[in-house]
Amino acid sequence: MNAIVTIPATARDELTAAQRIRDVFAESAATSAEAVLRARAFVASLEFKTKAFANLDAKVAAERAASMKAAMARGEAPKFDISPELAAAAAEKMEIENQILAARAGLNELQREAEEAAERLAAARVEVGRKIEAVVLEVTAAMAARVNALEAEALEARALLEGSHNHYRLEGAKPIGFRIHDDVRRILQTNTLTQVGTTNTPLNLKGKASHGRWKDFIAALEGDPNAAF
């Protein structure tokens, strides 16, 4: 590739900048996602602790009922007192429930931030794709111009050698360079290997190999703005 045309500096620099932004957002999205996982695990651990207090309300109610019954029997006003052990357990349960509420609120915030980070990353990836397309189109445009110039030169030389003014190009036919450029545009638009033919003729195999090379080049640009064709 470099023997024919190199990636234009501006296009390469813009792709590099877009990839740097994408990588920053990718790191941010990964960090946010990890924080969400940790927060979920923490909330789950707090919720698990509440299982130890599954029968606490029933125990408190039973003890208070017994206290009230005894006070009524003595002709006293009930105070609904409970034992220090149950009082401590009830306080611990309330604290854990408050922690769960706070932890869930924090988890919701982390999830929102993770979603925003994922959206920024998705947008950055789309932008990288646009820059890759711009690079490929600039490269193919430069290559097309070069190939067309060489083809025209070859046709002119052949005409001179044969003493003819016929340049052996069909009327209205596109120069080969422009056909290459159009073909790469189709690859970019469909993101699939262009159908070259249904049989493995030498011409079809050659076309498929060429398209495969362009797809490999596009894939390489995803991680390396200086990738060579």
Side-chain angles (χ1 to χ4, degrees), residues 187 191-194 210-220:
I187 293 175
N191 198 29
T192 58
L193 185 62
T194 303
S210 175
H211 294 171
R213 287 187 64 195
W214 279 109
K215 286 176 65 65
D216 290 344
F217 177 49
I218 293 168

Side-chain angles (χ1 to χ4, degrees), residues 49-125:
K49 288 182 179 181
T50 62
K51 293 183 178 181
F53 307 103
N55 299 319
L56 179 61
D57 291 342
K59 291 178 180 179
V60 169
E63 193 167 293
R64 283 179 168 172
S67 174
M68 187 273 291
K69 179 182 177 181
M72 291 294 100
R74 294 192 300 270
E76 300 174 356
K79 296 182 179 179
F80 296 104
D81 292 333
I82 57 175
S83 65
E85 292 79 11
L86 282 181
E92 184 179 357
K93 178 188 176 186
M94 181 176 293
E95 174 59 23
I96 291 175
E97 288 174 343
N98 288 337
Q99 289 179 7
I100 289 174
L101 290 175
R104 285 175 178 169
L107 173 58
N108 289 338
E109 285 295 308
L110 288 172
Q111 288 176 327
R112 180 184 58 78
E113 292 175 0
E115 290 171 358
E116 292 175 352
E119 290 173 358
R120 288 193 296 270
L121 175 57
R125 285 173 172 165

Side-chain angles (χ1 to χ4, degrees), residues 184-195:
V184 173
R185 280 185 178 276
R186 286 195 295 273
I187 293 175
L188 288 169
Q189 290 170 356
T190 62
N191 198 29
T192 58
L193 185 62
T194 303
Q195 182 66 38

Side-chain angles (χ1 to χ4, degrees), residues 109-176:
E109 285 295 308
L110 288 172
Q111 288 176 327
R112 180 184 58 78
E113 292 175 0
E115 290 171 358
E116 292 175 352
E119 290 173 358
R120 288 193 296 270
L121 175 57
R125 285 173 172 165
V126 169
E127 184 62 19
V128 167
R130 292 196 185 102
K131 297 304 182 184
I132 287 175
E133 181 174 341
V135 166
V136 173
L137 290 177
E138 285 200 36
V139 167
T140 53
M143 180 184 290
R146 176 61 173 154
V147 170
N148 289 340
L150 292 173
E151 183 187 37
E153 184 178 345
L155 291 171
E156 182 68 26
R158 183 173 180 178
L160 289 173
L161 286 172
E162 296 181 359
S164 170
H165 295 293
N166 182 6
H167 288 188
Y168 299 96
R169 177 176 292 158
L170 295 176
E171 186 69 25
K174 270 191 176 183
I176 187 172

